[in-house]
Amino acid sequence: MRKCTILALAILTAAITACKNTSNETTQPQSEQTTVTAPKPQDFGQFDDIKLPDTNRNLVSLGDIIRNNKLTIIDFWASWCGPCIEEMPNMVSINNDFKDKGLGIIGVSLDKDPQPWINAISNLGLNWNHVSELKGWGDYLISKYNIEGIPYTLLVNTDGTIIAKELRGEMLRAFVTEYLENTDTISNEEKK
C-alpha cells in the first residue's frame, strides 16, 4: 500500500511540475507566435446577486457591479496563494487595457485575515472591487460554484449570466478581447 501511495504522489508531482515552465527560455523560436483561440461564450447559469463586505467591511452589491459592465471577471484568489499572485500581473494588464471598454473585475478573496489581503491589494496594484467574507474555503460563493482550487475565474455578462469559467493567462485575455469586440460590433449594428 505504501508503494502505491509513493508512486501516486510521484506521478502527481510530475504532472504538476510539467504544467509549469520553470526556465526563462522560450520553447518556440522568436519568429513563431502562437495564437490563442478563445472559447465561445456558454450559459453556465446565473451569478448570484448578493452583497459581500469590501475591505472596509461595507456591503457591496455584486449584481450592481455586474450590471454596470459589459463583462465582469469574478476572480477568486487569496494573498497566500502563489499561483494567484503569479496571475495578478496578467489581471492588472487586462484591467488596464479593457476597463474603459466595459470590463469590470471583482476580486473575491479566500483570506481569513484582512491585513494580508489588504496589503496584497495595495502591493500588487489591484485597482478594482474587492470583497471577502474572510471565511477562507467556507465562503458562500466557493460552495455555491463548487470551486476546488484557486485562482479561479467566472466571466459574467451584463445580464448576470456566467458565460465562461476557469480562464487564466492568454486564454483569459483572448476571451475578454473577443467578447468585448463582438459586443461593440453588435451595439454598433443595433444603432444603425
Side-chain angles (χ1 to χ4, degrees):
M1 183 68 167
R2 181 165 159 72
K3 287 182 182 180
C4 290
T5 303
I6 293 170
L7 180 59
L9 287 173
I11 291 170
L12 180 61
T13 301
I16 292 169
T17 305
C19 293
K20 184 176 180 185
N21 183 358
T22 57
S23 73
N24 290 331
E25 301 172 350
T26 58
T27 56
Q28 298 180 2
Q30 292 293 336
S31 61
E32 290 183 31
Q33 299 220 350
T34 56
T35 303
V36 176
T37 304
K40 299 293 180 207
Q42 298 179 42
D43 186 342
F44 292 102
Q46 288 297 115
F47 187 79
D48 272 7
D49 185 358
I50 65 168
K51 293 181 180 181
L52 291 175
D54 65 11
T55 57
N56 295 315
R57 309 318 295 154
N58 297 317
L59 290 179
V60 174
S61 168
L62 303 190
D64 287 349
I65 296 169
I66 289 167
R67 283 186 289 277
N68 286 324
N69 296 298
K70 294 177 186 174
L71 179 66
T72 303
I73 299 171
I74 312 294
D75 180 35
F76 295 87
W77 73 290
S79 66
W80 45 261
C81 169
C84 299
I85 301 305
E86 287 178 19
E87 180 68 10
M88 285 310 174
N90 182 53
M91 293 295 287
V92 169
S93 176
I94 289 171
N95 181 61
N96 291 342
D97 292 347
F98 295 100
K99 66 183 176 186
D100 295 331
K101 297 176 182 174
L103 177 70
I105 301 176
I106 302 171
V108 179
S109 175
L110 273 67
D111 281 276
K112 289 185 176 182
D113 182 354
Q115 205 53 57
W117 171 45
I118 293 167
N119 291 346
I121 292 168
S122 176
N123 294 339
L124 297 168
L126 310 181
N127 298 319
W128 50 81
N129 294 288
H130 292 276
V131 295
S132 180
E133 292 181 282
L134 298 176
K135 293 181 180 179
W137 290 102
D139 185 288
Y140 167 76
L141 293 176
I142 296 299
S143 61
K144 167 75 178 173
Y145 297 105
N146 300 312
I147 298 170
E148 296 179 1
I150 55 175
Y152 188 94
T153 56
L154 295 174
L155 287 88
V156 183
N157 70 13
T158 195
D159 298 325
T161 303
I162 301 167
I163 58 174
K165 57 184 181 176
E166 299 185 69
L167 301 181
R168 293 176 26 189
E170 289 303 313
M171 189 67 69
L172 178 61
R173 176 174 283 282
F175 185 91
V176 169
T177 302
E178 189 170 313
Y179 186 82
L180 291 177
E181 284 176 1
N182 287 340
T183 303
D184 286 342
T185 301
I186 291 168
S187 295
N188 289 337
E189 288 175 3
E190 289 174 353
K191 291 177 185 177
K192 292 179 183 178

